Amino acid sequence: MTDPTLALLSEPAPVSAPALLGATIAGKGVVLRITEVEAYFGPTDPGSHGHRGPTPRNRHLFGPPGTLYAYRSYGIHTCVNVVSAPAGTSSGSLLRGAEVVAGIETARGRRGPAVSDVALARGPGNLGGALGAVLGEDDGTALLDGSGPYVLTLAPGLEARLASDGPTRVVEELLSETLPGPAGTGPVPRIARGPRTGVGGIAGGARFPWRFWLTGDPTVSTYRRHKGAVD
């Protein structure tokens, strides 16, 4: 039987990404609970680093499911992605926001003493910083078998659901779950979705609603629409 997490990550990122919410990524003295992700799928996605094919810099995005793909943002921040879909596809989920659930002082030592708890891993560059991710060392390592510096573990109970019902059905159910809304309003989705942050052209518009986040979680980053995004 296929491992449920591997089965999930064998799906394209737009399918698997919502199921990463609530998962933990642990290593280098910290544990982070993922609260926000963005999916990228190179074959059809002009916003993906892999849209035009493999290069020395993006080659790990084309790796097997469960690989860590890292890249440098603004020449400063290391951003972390979870690769999904069969090897050679170019598909991954950018980890945009997380709650530090263990090792908070280690994370604060990396991010700075004045940073609040909820902001330690809010935003992809801050998340990579809280993890202590290092471009060139962690890029291309495995997230599922314990051989790399980090281990990805799905939210409690999710593996059993995946083993029973399969990724497609489980993700559909996750996206249909609701929470009570503010007083006087109806329910709201537990997992919200919308266009991706800071992506230009059609890849940053409504045709690619591939940003997913836990509704109301304070560790979710602020949405900023790219001035060149097109719906």
Side-chain angles (χ1 to χ4, degrees):
M1 179 182 293
T2 302
D3 174 80
T5 303
L6 181 58
L8 172 70
L9 295 180
S10 296
E11 299 289 335
V15 175
S16 61
L20 295 178
L21 297 172
T24 58
I25 182 168
K28 297 189 181 183
V30 298
V31 181
L32 273 55
R33 181 182 68 93
I34 299 165
T35 60
E36 179 188 3
V37 296
E38 280 181 346
Y40 291 86
F41 187 61
T44 61
D45 180 2
S48 169
H49 288 179
H51 184 58
R52 293 182 174 86
T55 69
R57 287 187 178 182
N58 71 17
R59 66 189 186 280
H60 295 301
L61 183 58
F62 292 79
T67 297
L68 186 154
Y69 165 59
Y71 67 88
R72 187 68 51 80
S73 175
Y74 298 109
I76 302 171
H77 305 292
T78 298
C79 299
V80 175
N81 299 255
V82 178
V83 174
S84 60
T89 305
S90 171
S91 174
S93 295
L94 171 65
L95 305 185
R96 285 200 56 89
E99 174 192 10
V100 181
V101 295
I104 196 162
E105 292 308 318
T106 299
R108 182 169 285 110
R110 292 166 177 160
R111 292 275 293 110
V115 180
S116 66
D117 289 1
V118 297
L120 286 170
R122 185 168 60 196
N126 296 333
L127 187 153
L131 278 176
V134 179
L135 186 69
E137 294 181 12
D138 302 327
D139 193 21
T141 57
L143 288 167
L144 303 184
D145 63 8
S147 65
Y150 304 105
V151 174
L152 179 74
T153 304
L154 297 182
L158 193 55
E159 279 204 346
R161 292 175 65 181
L162 289 165
S164 173
D165 298 331
T168 301
R169 179 176 175 184
V170 169
V171 172
E172 288 175 351
E173 292 173 350
L174 292 174
L175 291 173
S176 70
E177 293 172 359
T178 60
L179 298 169
T185 68
V188 297
R190 186 178 72 85
I191 295 176
R193 68 184 301 172
R196 296 173 297 193
T197 295
V199 179
I202 63 169
R207 280 173 279 187
F208 290 85
W210 290 352
R211 174 175 172 253
F212 303 92
W213 67 96
L214 295 178
T215 299
D217 195 291
T219 65
V220 172
S221 67
T222 301
Y223 171 69
R224 292 182 173 87
R225 181 180 170 91
H226 191 284
K227 64 181 182 181
V230 178
D231 288 327

